[in-house]
Amino acid sequence: YHKRKPSPPKMFRAMFHIDSSRFLSAYLWHQLCQYITKYTLFQRTHTLILYPVSGVFMDAFLSISHLSFSYHSPEGETKALHDINISLNEGEFIAIVGPSGCGKSTLLSLISGLLPCTQGEILLQGRPLSESRDRIGYMLQKDHLFSWRSTKSNVLLGPEIRRNKSPEKEEKALALLDSYGLAQFSASSPSSLSGGMRQRAALIRTLMTEPA
């Protein structure tokens, strides 16, 4: 333990196990705060990480090892991530919190395959990300619904791009729209939806890709 005050962390990671049979309620963050007390605290490469005391990182569902990434421009290099190491087991929930510009979106973009992994390794169930990228669902901060498509057509975008659109997929889309209170807006354009409704449509679009 160092008595001197450490430098402010650039990123904060907390993780706790969730029984898949339980429903995630409004008390989620309260449960997280309670569970954090069971973790041991480490600081590494300007990243504050909470690791479980017990060895639950065996056979990780998602494994990130020594991941670094930099953006390049005519003005020079901007290092976004440096030596990030994360291990996630199936059924666990992770929250990554940090100030603007600390690399949160960059990390998610690397995991989802939107950015190439040039230094380090990302494995999903022990397989390289290039072999399992289609099993990852990524819901962006903005809904990015296409204005010329109906709500139903927007949520079916994933199967359409993957060329596996079928009557079964359309039935699933309609069922999800009904579950999220958007059934009566399935033929509506995104401009007629409220902000919250657009976010729900974006979530359904993500779920339609059937991520792992």
Side-chain angles (χ1 to χ4, degrees), residues 60-90:
F61 186 81
L62 175 67
S63 176
I64 301 174
S65 304
H66 305 291
L67 181 65
S68 298
F69 188 83
S70 297
Y71 291 98
H72 298 273
S73 67
E75 289 74 27
E77 179 185 48
T78 301
K79 186 173 288 295
L81 299 172
H82 176 66
D83 199 26
I84 300 297
N85 297 276
I86 298 176
S87 189
L88 172 64
N89 292 325
E90 187 172 3

Side-chain angles (χ1 to χ4, degrees), residues 134-145:
D134 60 347
R135 303 187 62 217
I136 296 176
Y138 185 19
M139 181 177 169
L140 300 170
Q141 188 174 10
K142 295 182 179 180
D143 58 73
H144 292 292
L145 298 178

Side-chain angles (χ1 to χ4, degrees), residues 9-25:
K10 288 187 177 181
M11 189 181 295
F12 177 81
R13 172 185 183 268
M15 180 181 68
F16 66 103
H17 183 76
I18 296 177
D19 186 342
S20 58
S21 65
R22 294 180 182 177
F23 179 77
L24 299 184
S25 67

Side-chain angles (χ1 to χ4, degrees), residues 3 12 20-21 28 43 50 56 62 95 159 179 185 187 209:
K3 291 186 177 180
F12 177 81
S20 58
S21 65
L28 178 63
Q43 186 171 353
L50 295 178
V56 297
L62 175 67
S179 297
F185 300 99
T209 63

Side-chain angles (χ1 to χ4, degrees), residues 11-13 47 49 62-69 71 80-87 94-97 101-117 119 121-122 129 136 138:
M11 189 181 295
F12 177 81
R13 172 185 183 268
T47 302
I49 304 179
L62 175 67
S63 176
I64 301 174
S65 304
H66 305 291
L67 181 65
S68 298
F69 188 83
Y71 291 98
L81 299 172
H82 176 66
D83 199 26
I84 300 297
N85 297 276
I86 298 176
S87 189
I94 284 184
I96 302 176
V97 184
C102 72
K104 302 184 299 296
S105 296
T106 298
L107 178 59
L108 293 176
S109 295
L110 286 163
I111 294 174
S112 63
L114 295 180
L115 290 175
C117 180
Q119 186 174 348
E121 184 178 50
I122 303 176
L129 190 61
I136 296 176
Y138 185 19

Side-chain angles (χ1 to χ4, degrees), residues 155-156 159 169 172-173 176 203-210:
V155 303
L156 284 168
K169 295 285 186 181
K172 181 179 179 180
L176 287 171
L203 176 59
I204 297 172
R205 180 182 58 194
T206 304
L207 296 176
M208 284 299 299
T209 63
E210 300 180 346

Side-chain angles (χ1 to χ4, degrees), residues 122-194:
I122 303 176
L123 299 177
L124 182 63
Q125 291 185 307
R127 298 168 56 191
L129 190 61
S130 58
E131 298 178 10
S132 47
R133 188 171 300 161
D134 60 347
R135 303 187 62 217
I136 296 176
Y138 185 19
M139 181 177 169
L140 300 170
Q141 188 174 10
K142 295 182 179 180
D143 58 73
H144 292 292
L145 298 178
F146 292 135
S147 60
W148 61 88
R149 283 175 169 256
S150 67
T151 304
K152 176 186 173 183
S153 182
N154 266 291
V155 303
L156 284 168
L157 181 63
E160 186 176 325
I161 292 176
R162 293 180 178 179
R163 299 182 179 179
N164 62 358
K165 185 178 177 181
S166 64
E168 291 76 17
K169 295 285 186 181
E170 293 198 29
E171 288 181 11
K172 181 179 179 180
L174 290 173
L176 287 171
L177 286 168
D178 183 56
S179 297
Y180 285 87
L182 296 176
Q184 60 181 332
F185 300 99
S186 61
S188 303
S189 63
S191 61
S192 63
L193 304 180
S194 67

